[in-house]
Amino acid sequence: MNQKVYVILLRALFSLFGGFMSFAYIAFMKAAGLSSFQVGLILTLNLVVEALSYVVLITFSIPRNIIFSALLVPISDVLLLLRNIYGFILIAIISAISSAIYSAVIIIQKDFTKRDYSVMLGSVAITSIAGIGLYYLSVFINVDLLILTLLPVLIFNVIISTRIKYKETEESFKDFLQSLKSSGKTLFVVDFLIALRRTFLQGYISLILLSVFVNYAPQRISLYLTLFQIPAIAFLFIGHKISNKVYLILSVLELASFLFIAVFYNLSLFIFLSAITLIHILSSLRGPSAEQAIVKTLHFSTKLSALFNLLDIIFSSVASLIIAFMLEFSLYSAIVLMVGISNFLLDLTIYKMLQKY
């Protein structure tokens, strides 16, 4: 098989398990009787270990990173069979290490074209949603059987990881500092703006909807939010056709969508969701171009990529605090306006990167 196919398969299967764990992990902890405080501590542990793993990756070189990362995933899956606090703690540690390595090793995408990124991002989005939906199969089959059903898929992913051939160049810490000097300022700006956007769209949209549209049951809001986001996935597969000029036009349209929400956020749930869907569609069309530009700016370096992801964790925490503080005063319009303007600044920065490459 083509090396690019192996990489796309690897990313997609990682995303399948990631989607499953994003819902099932918390659901299993709650079903095991853990309090919300204990669940929060374990999730925090996961975040801390992931951050420390990025620090290690910045400092040291680990050969065959991808294989090691893929091996840790089926171990996490088997540990789910325990479903006790000790198993959950081990999963938090192991999955954090695996996730850090998996997301930092971008050298495997060095030969990717914009079309390849388009296919990969679309595949990852589909498998992530499928992973979330897998948990609901526990209504029909035994939970242990559901967990074990994933095991052959994850072992297959380990085999795929062994088929991916790549060789990272030896990079001294001095070389890393030099690369950071040449692209560090741009990466810092891009990283913070991405963290702010993602924190809003993935972490706080649901909370704003629940706070504004109190006449709707939470279950209905959850269903509508999911259904309205699914159509955006299809646009990832045609994102490689977008030129730089069209990228800029789509960015302006997205800013207009944010401004519309800022003014009319409480008009109707379906108008709000339609505007969010449009934002996701416009983002999906620009996604492959943005992904390619950012990866090139990182020079396909694991060390730079690890730093980028470490900063992402820090900036996401800061962004979450800012938005949470504004929510305390019900500043919904101000939040949307802030995210919309910062998102447009992000698009302008990426547009300059696209012009460069």
Side-chain angles (χ1 to χ4, degrees):
M1 245 193 296
N2 187 296
Q3 284 289 302
K4 293 178 181 180
V5 177
Y6 284 129
V7 174
I8 291 171
L9 271 173
L10 180 87
R11 297 290 193 192
L13 293 179
F14 257 108
S15 183
L16 177 72
F17 188 69
F20 176 73
M21 290 293 282
S22 68
F23 190 92
Y25 187 41
I26 296 174
F28 286 149
M29 285 193 282
K30 294 297 290 182
L34 272 66
S35 67
S36 296
F37 178 70
Q38 289 174 315
V39 173
L41 284 179
I42 291 175
L43 293 178
T44 302
L45 173 65
N46 178 270
L47 194 65
V48 170
V49 174
E50 187 171 354
L52 292 175
S53 299
Y54 287 128
V55 173
V56 172
L57 287 169
I58 292 169
T59 310
F60 302 101
S61 294
I62 303 174
R64 304 308 295 169
N65 290 344
I66 288 296
I67 297 176
F68 180 59
S69 178
L71 277 169
L72 293 177
V73 179
I75 295 174
S76 297
D77 185 57
V78 172
L79 286 172
L80 280 174
L81 295 171
L82 299 178
R83 290 200 296 283
N84 59 41
I85 190 168
Y86 303 108
F88 293 136
I89 290 173
L90 281 173
I91 290 170
I93 295 171
I94 292 172
S95 63
I97 296 171
S98 176
S99 176
I101 296 172
Y102 156 73
S103 58
V105 181
I106 56 174
I107 186 69
I108 58 177
Q109 296 165 196
K110 193 167 186 177
D111 297 325
F112 269 39
T113 64
K114 192 158 68 171
R115 180 186 177 87
D116 297 324
Y117 282 108
S118 186
V119 174
M120 185 183 73
L121 292 176
S123 302
V124 163
I126 290 173
T127 53
S128 179
I129 290 178
I132 295 172
L134 280 177
Y135 178 78
Y136 294 98
L137 293 178
S138 61
V139 175
F140 309 102
I141 63 175
N142 180 272
V143 172
D144 289 345
L145 180 60
L146 176 62
I147 293 170
L148 289 173
T149 301
L150 279 170
L151 194 57
V153 178
L154 302 179
I155 293 174
F156 176 62
N157 207 32
V158 176
I159 296 172
I160 290 172
S161 71
T162 64
R163 304 294 296 175
I164 297 174
K165 302 185 185 306
Y166 67 97
K167 184 178 180 181
E168 295 197 60
T169 55
E170 289 293 330
E171 184 181 17
S172 66
F173 197 69
K174 183 179 179 181
D175 295 330
F176 165 69
L177 292 177
Q178 186 61 39
S179 298
L180 184 60
K181 183 178 179 180
S182 65
S183 57
K185 184 178 179 181
T186 301
L187 291 177
F188 286 150
V189 172
V190 169
D191 207 343
F192 177 73
L193 295 175
I194 286 176
L196 183 59
R197 173 195 169 87
R198 188 182 57 254
T199 301
F200 171 73
L201 289 177
Q202 296 182 5
Y204 281 93
I205 280 291
S206 298
L207 185 55
I208 291 175
L209 289 171
L210 290 168
S211 301
V212 174
F213 301 103
V214 294
N215 293 328
Y216 288 86
Q219 292 84 353
R220 289 182 64 190
I221 291 178
S222 174
L223 175 63
Y224 294 150
L225 185 60
T226 302
L227 292 176
F228 269 74
Q229 290 186 58
I230 290 175
I233 296 174
F235 291 88
L236 283 166
F237 289 100
I238 59 173
H240 62 279
K241 298 179 181 292
I242 302 303
S243 66
N244 291 357
K245 287 184 178 180
V246 174
Y247 185 99
L248 195 57
I249 293 170
L250 295 176
S251 301
V252 174
L253 290 175
E254 186 169 279
L255 175 61
S257 300
F258 273 108
L259 294 176
F260 178 84
I261 295 175
V263 177
F264 302 107
Y265 71 90
N266 59 351
L267 192 62
S268 163
L269 172 63
F270 295 103
I271 291 176
F272 191 115
L273 288 173
S274 297
I276 291 296
T277 300
L278 179 59
I279 287 172
H280 281 298
I281 289 173
L282 295 171
S283 178
S284 294
L285 286 170
R286 301 194 317 280
S289 297
E291 184 81 5
Q292 185 182 45
I294 291 170
V295 170
K296 283 187 176 181
T297 305
L298 291 170
H299 306 302
F300 301 97
S301 165
T302 295
K303 294 183 185 296
L304 269 181
S305 180
L307 176 63
F308 187 81
N309 285 284
L310 175 61
L311 290 172
D312 188 69
I313 292 175
I314 297 170
F315 289 152
S316 294
S317 301
V318 173
S320 183
L321 285 173
I322 293 172
I323 296 175
F325 178 78
M326 295 175 74
L327 277 177
E328 184 66 21
F329 297 95
S330 301
L331 300 174
Y332 305 119
S333 292
I335 292 171
V336 176
L337 189 62
M338 175 186 69
V339 174
I341 293 174
S342 66
N343 186 71
F344 186 65
L345 293 175
L346 169 65
D347 286 330
L348 289 179
T349 305
I350 293 177
Y351 176 73
K352 291 179 181 178
M353 293 159 63
L354 290 170
Q355 294 288 81
K356 177 181 177 181
Y357 292 118

